[in-house]
Amino acid sequence: MILKSNTSSDSFQREHRALCRWAPALGASAPQLLNVDEDAQILLMPAVTGHPLQSLTLTGQQERRAYERAGALLARFYDTAPGTALPAFGAERAAYIRTQLTDGTHPLTGADLSVLDEALHLLETLPPQRAQPSHLDFTSRNVLWDARAEVGVIDFETSRYEAVGRDFLRITQRTLYHRPDLRTAFYRGYGRDPDRAESELMRICTVTDAAAIVVTATARGQHPFATEARSILTAAVRAWPAPAPGTAIPHGRRPL
């Protein structure tokens, strides 16, 4: 059993909502809520079978199978509830990013700031976005793999209705652009590659999200997060304005 206390009240509310509304349709592939103490903000659930992909040593074939199944699981998650629309997503997301920069922009460089300014403008001028239930931390630390070759997903504390495409962002930045074979397997399982609108959203948010994390993680002394985000931002700035679809790496540097 897992007895979970979230990192904030907002995280608790998001996870509680996801476990009530969306996780039941995933069955054993996701935590199933057994009980909740809303005053203490504690959730009780059975453990999902398996270990995080990032902690496992697998053969190339096993990895490809795992990521293909992960893509299929993400597609199932999106089908747990009807889609909707977010008319002001871009403007609201840009405003949120700007709040993360209010304490200053150290250690962003001039090139970082120039590209960030353009990316924020593009974000603010996006048309209304299609939205769906989204995990928003769908990465190898939260995707589980077990001996029966089954996948599961945990940690729904960032989950909410979000613009289609943003759920691809973290797994792309952390794994898929390093491993074209896993990218192919993941989207084969998902059923398709990101479309033009999803790729454009990822291109913009790669810059805006990474820049915000560089600033906030540096200010908080969270050096591993800052280093990871700096690597992502540097690649995106170097590639701007034309990274390969769905990645922060330009076409000329890495075949996809």
Side-chain angles (χ1 to χ4, degrees), residues 55 74 76 85 90 93 105-106 114 117 119 123 135-136 143 153 182 197 208 212 232 235 253:
S55 70
L74 191 60
R76 283 178 57 201
R93 184 68 188 172
T105 55
H106 174 77
S114 177
D117 182 67
L123 191 56
H135 186 277
L136 296 177
V143 176
V153 61
L182 299 186
T208 59
I232 293 167
R253 298 196 173 199

Side-chain angles (χ1 to χ4, degrees), residues 168 183-196 198-199 202 245-246 256:
F168 301 143
R183 184 187 190 280
T184 298
F186 179 81
Y187 287 116
R188 182 170 59 242
Y190 182 73
R192 62 173 178 83
D193 278 6
D195 64 22
R196 184 181 296 273
E198 292 163 351
S199 295
M202 292 167 67
L256 292 174

Side-chain angles (χ1 to χ4, degrees), residues 21-177:
R21 296 181 181 178
W22 305 326
L26 299 180
S29 294
Q32 300 300 312
L33 187 63
L34 297 177
N35 209 336
V36 58
D37 185 330
E38 296 193 49
D39 292 330
Q41 298 193 344
I42 293 175
L43 302 162
L44 178 66
M45 65 201 88
V48 178
T49 303
H51 299 279
L53 278 174
Q54 71 172 14
S55 70
L56 299 175
T57 301
L58 303 175
T59 67
Q61 182 178 4
Q62 288 173 324
E63 284 182 302
R64 289 186 288 275
R65 185 175 181 187
Y67 276 85
E68 182 172 356
R69 299 295 293 272
L73 179 60
L74 191 60
R76 283 178 57 201
F77 180 54
Y78 292 163
D79 287 339
T80 59
T84 186
L86 296 175
F89 169 80
E92 291 172 355
R93 184 68 188 172
Y96 170 77
I97 294 295
R98 292 186 191 281
T99 67
Q100 305 302 295
L101 307 175
T102 52
D103 292 333
T105 55
H106 174 77
L108 301 182
T109 68
D112 298 334
L113 293 170
S114 177
V115 171
L116 175 60
D117 182 67
E118 184 176 347
L120 284 169
H121 173 72
L122 290 172
L123 191 56
E124 289 167 335
T125 57
L126 282 177
Q129 298 290 295
R130 293 177 297 123
Q132 62 198 16
S134 299
H135 186 277
L136 296 177
D137 197 11
F138 198 83
T139 63
S140 61
R141 68 170 173 257
N142 289 327
V143 176
L144 309 185
W145 179 250
D146 69 19
R148 301 169 299 155
E150 298 294 335
V151 294
V153 61
I154 58 173
D155 285 351
F156 288 81
E157 61 185 51
T158 57
S159 297
R160 60 181 181 268
Y161 267 97
E162 183 67 302
V164 175
R166 271 191 44 85
D167 239 355
F168 301 143
L169 196 61
R170 289 191 178 183
I171 197 167
T172 294
Q173 293 169 341
R174 289 158 175 78
T175 305
L176 301 186
Y177 76 72

Side-chain angles (χ1 to χ4, degrees), residues 169-254:
L169 196 61
R170 289 191 178 183
I171 197 167
T172 294
Q173 293 169 341
R174 289 158 175 78
T175 305
L176 301 186
Y177 76 72
H178 295 294
R179 293 283 303 275
D181 61 327
L182 299 186
R183 184 187 190 280
T184 298
F186 179 81
Y187 287 116
R188 182 170 59 242
Y190 182 73
R192 62 173 178 83
D193 278 6
D195 64 22
R196 184 181 296 273
E198 292 163 351
S199 295
E200 176 65 359
L201 183 64
M202 292 167 67
R203 180 177 83 96
I204 294 168
C205 290
T206 291
V207 172
T208 59
D209 290 20
I213 293 171
V214 168
V215 171
T216 57
T218 299
R220 296 167 184 166
Q222 297 170 325
H223 301 299
F225 288 109
T227 299
E228 180 181 59
R230 162 47 64 190
S231 176
I232 293 167
L233 180 62
T234 297
V237 168
R238 187 181 298 123
W240 191 267
T247 79
I249 302 299
H251 280 295
R253 298 196 173 199
R254 190 180 303 275

